[in-house]
Amino acid sequence: MKQKTMLYEALESAGLKAQYDDHVRRLLSFRPVTARILAGALTEYEGHTPQEAAAWIEPEAAWGSDVKAECTETAIPLLIGRSEVGEKPGEGSSVYDLRLQVRTPGPGEESAIVLVNLEAQKKFYQKYRLVTRGIFYGARMLSEQYGRQFLHSDYQKLKKVYSIWICMNAPNHIGNAMAEYKLSKHDRIGFIPEKKKNYDKLSVILICLNTKKGLGEPGSLHHFLNVLLSPAMAFEEKARILSDTYGIEMETEIRKELEGMCNLSEAIEEEALRKGRKAGRREGRREGERDGRRVGRAESLVQGVEAAMRNFHVDLKTACEGIGSSVEEYNRAETLLKKVK
């Protein structure tokens, strides 16, 4: 009940699109989820299990009482990281979905603290390239360390940063893929001796998901994320796979987040389809079954978009995206209905 109340308030204040993004961010902030992503993406975690990675995520974090209340049955906090706005005078601000610190495995000086930024994107193609934005975010995380992690000229204390971007709807020609872009050394003339840890300070990782190309091999990172973030898979099926295949205990909070993300856009769409089918049957009797279905779909789309704009106080573009459509499709549907009338 508590979670439904929070969801209701967020829908009213932030709108449909913002709430969907918020569900994804919250899912990624659960320690078992983050641990599996890091185990599958970070070079330092290669050969280690998600269970080992889970213990290295913010092992010394101080948590508020509200978070502790959600984690009373766990030895370490269930929720990790934080969403925040990074600001620096003269450089504007950057909004981070999730930021956290992790410790790398190894004894003594071989172990180090790494800063991680985890981002979720619904579209691969933007006005910019995702990798370019990832580099910018990583560079900001490096520069923000001055005055926090070190002072004056003590640059040896600069910590490595990872900016990890999960694209949930990658184009078909990319499919399910992952790439890393990082700083590396290339001796062009002669040889300059330098330890890798002194320049290996920035990595951007793109994880592309495309369920049309399949979910991926069970047990793989892509299979895990495709199941977790699928917009079509039923909540019960997600919970079963995450429990049976990945051994993730379905705590009440995780179940509510999964269920909320699965059903968020479906509520409006189902109501619109119900009205559309009724209108289609009415038009079908008068114009014929084929035209009736076409008009019914158009009316379903228009009514669904208008309901989203009215109930969730969002603009036309956001309302169209909320039910899986576009402004162009809405305009065509509206034109068709005007002709019928």
Side-chain angles (χ1 to χ4, degrees):
M1 184 64 183
K2 178 183 176 182
Q3 192 62 34
K4 290 183 179 179
T5 301
M6 292 172 61
L7 173 58
Y8 178 80
E9 292 177 350
L11 280 172
E12 278 196 324
S13 62
L16 182 63
K17 183 177 180 180
Q19 181 51 220
Y20 178 80
D21 292 341
D22 191 50
H23 269 287
V24 176
R25 283 194 295 269
R26 185 171 172 84
L27 278 173
L28 297 179
S29 70
F30 282 94
R31 187 177 293 267
V33 173
T34 310
R36 192 162 290 275
I37 295 173
L38 298 182
L42 267 61
T43 303
E44 291 83 353
Y45 284 9
E46 287 183 0
H48 294 278
T49 66
Q51 290 72 27
E52 290 174 315
W56 297 326
I57 301 173
E58 299 187 340
E60 301 172 356
W63 296 91
S65 58
D66 57 331
V67 177
K68 286 181 180 178
E70 295 183 300
C71 308
T72 53
E73 296 181 359
T74 62
I76 52 180
L78 179 63
L79 294 173
I80 53 88
R82 63 206 175 279
S83 299
E84 64 179 39
V85 178
E87 296 183 300
K88 195 170 184 181
E91 294 186 10
S93 61
S94 299
V95 181
Y96 299 94
D97 279 0
L98 190 68
R99 290 183 63 170
L100 55 139
Q101 294 187 11
V102 304
R103 181 169 291 281
T104 61
E109 293 184 357
E110 293 183 20
S111 178
I113 293 294
V114 173
L115 309 183
V116 178
N117 161 226
L118 193 57
E119 300 284 333
Q121 290 284 308
K122 287 194 287 186
K123 294 182 180 179
F124 182 82
Y125 289 114
Q126 309 281 349
K127 295 180 180 179
Y128 51 83
R129 305 296 293 187
L130 286 181
V131 64
T132 307
R133 185 178 175 187
I135 292 171
F136 177 78
Y137 272 40
R140 288 294 297 269
M141 290 172 66
L142 288 174
S143 66
E144 289 170 1
Q145 292 183 49
Y146 184 81
R148 298 181 182 181
Q149 306 291 346
F150 68 94
L151 294 170
H152 308 301
S153 300
D154 203 0
Y155 295 106
Q156 284 300 112
K157 292 184 178 180
L158 185 70
K159 293 177 172 54
K160 180 177 180 178
V161 302
Y162 273 97
S163 188
I164 303 174
W165 294 71
I166 300 174
C167 180
M168 294 176 279
N169 295 287
N172 289 335
H173 71 273
I174 293 178
N176 293 301
M178 179 167 65
E180 181 177 10
Y181 308 81
K182 60 183 180 180
L183 291 176
S184 60
K185 175 177 175 283
H186 175 60
D187 287 298
R188 301 184 61 179
I189 301 176
F191 174 73
I192 300 176
E194 192 67 71
K195 292 183 178 179
K196 182 179 179 181
K197 67 177 184 179
N198 293 330
Y199 60 83
D200 182 24
K201 297 295 184 181
L202 171 62
S203 283
V204 177
I205 297 178
L206 300 187
I207 303 173
C208 293
L209 307 177
N210 185 327
T211 55
K212 294 179 182 179
K213 294 293 184 178
L215 297 179
E217 188 70 23
S220 68
L221 177 59
H222 280 89
H223 182 268
F224 173 76
L225 290 174
N226 274 322
V227 169
L228 181 75
L229 303 176
S230 170
M233 185 179 295
F235 159 69
E236 292 79 9
E237 180 67 6
K238 285 189 178 188
R240 184 191 66 78
I241 294 175
L242 293 176
S243 177
D244 295 349
T245 304
Y246 298 99
I248 296 180
E249 184 179 350
M250 287 285 100
E251 292 88 352
T252 302
E253 291 297 324
I254 293 183
R255 290 179 65 90
K256 287 179 179 178
E257 290 299 326
L258 281 172
E259 189 171 15
M261 191 187 75
C262 290
N263 295 331
L264 187 62
S265 61
E266 293 175 359
I268 292 177
E269 186 177 8
E270 287 175 358
E271 176 64 16
L273 288 175
R274 183 186 66 79
K275 293 180 179 179
R277 284 193 294 268
K278 182 178 179 181
R281 287 193 296 269
R282 183 175 65 250
E283 291 297 327
R285 286 192 296 269
R286 195 178 71 191
E287 299 288 339
E289 186 177 356
R290 181 176 179 181
D291 288 340
R293 286 198 300 268
R294 188 161 60 97
V295 172
R297 286 194 296 268
E299 190 167 357
S300 168
L301 173 60
V302 171
Q303 290 179 350
V305 170
E306 291 176 351
M309 295 173 66
R310 181 175 60 255
N311 296 333
F312 299 103
H313 311 293
V314 295
D315 58 26
L316 176 61
K317 181 180 179 182
T318 301
C320 289
E321 291 179 349
I323 65 171
S325 184
S326 66
V327 174
E328 290 75 17
E329 290 174 328
Y330 171 84
N331 290 334
R332 287 195 296 269
E334 193 175 41
T335 300
L336 174 61
L337 293 178
K338 289 180 179 179
K339 289 181 180 179
V340 172
K341 292 179 181 180

